[in-house]
């Protein structure tokens, strides 16, 4: 891959991945061949995939929530909810921990940055 991944490309790929767009759609949006798009997608996925202990902000049923990642799954994570930073209306329907799809994550604060 000869192209450098710019902030604009990173943003487009992240947004489309969170929406669940196909690799071919992302290739079309970027205007690059499918193979090159795969390399870009893999690089971007690795750069925005959260880690254990990361604090995240996410949406759940259109409500803003916050928590810390306790376990990573393939396309989601087990998150312990920070109720003081989350929508109080969700307390009635959510447990202390919930599953959050990566596409619903709005912001990630790396565990190393908070230590």
């Amino acid at each position: 891959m000869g192209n450098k991944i710019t902030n604009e490309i990173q943003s487009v790929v992240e947004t489309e991945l969170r929406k669940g767009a196909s690799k071919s759609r992302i290739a079309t949006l970027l205007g690059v061949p499918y193979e090159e798009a795969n390399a870009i997608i893999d690089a971007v996925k690795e750069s925005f995939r959260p880690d254990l202990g990361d604090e995240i902000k996410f949406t759940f049923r259109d409500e803003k929530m916050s928590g810390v990642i306790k376990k990573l799954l393939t396309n989601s994570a087990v998150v312990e909810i920070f109720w003081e930073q989350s929508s109080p209306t969700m307390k009635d329907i959510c447990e202390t921990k919930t599953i959050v799809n990566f596409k619903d994550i709005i912001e990630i604060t790396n565990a190393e940055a908070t230590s």
Side-chain angles (χ1 to χ4, degrees), residues 1-6 9-10 13 17 23-24 26-27 30 32-48:
M1 178 179 74
N3 295 341
K4 181 179 182 241
I5 299 175
T6 64
I9 290 173
Q10 173 112 8
V13 173
L17 286 173
K23 291 181 178 182
S24 59
I26 294 171
L30 297 177
V32 298
Y34 183 79
E35 294 77 22
E36 188 174 338
N38 276 334
I40 293 170
I41 290 166
D42 289 343
V44 170
K45 272 186 181 177
E46 207 44 50
S47 73
F48 86 90

Side-chain angles (χ1 to χ4, degrees), residues 32-87:
V32 298
Y34 183 79
E35 294 77 22
E36 188 174 338
N38 276 334
I40 293 170
I41 290 166
D42 289 343
V44 170
K45 272 186 181 177
E46 207 44 50
S47 73
F48 86 90
R49 182 176 169 83
D51 289 319
L52 283 177
D54 285 354
E55 292 183 7
I56 63 169
K57 292 183 181 176
F58 60 97
T59 58
F60 185 75
R61 296 190 181 177
D62 296 325
E63 296 288 336
K64 300 223 186 255
M65 306 284 288
S66 184
V68 64
I69 295 177
K70 293 297 183 180
K71 182 176 182 180
L72 288 171
L73 306 171
T74 304
N75 291 314
S76 58
V78 176
V79 176
E80 186 174 325
I81 299 171
F82 295 152
W83 287 113
E84 62 280 356
Q85 299 170 13
S86 300
S87 173

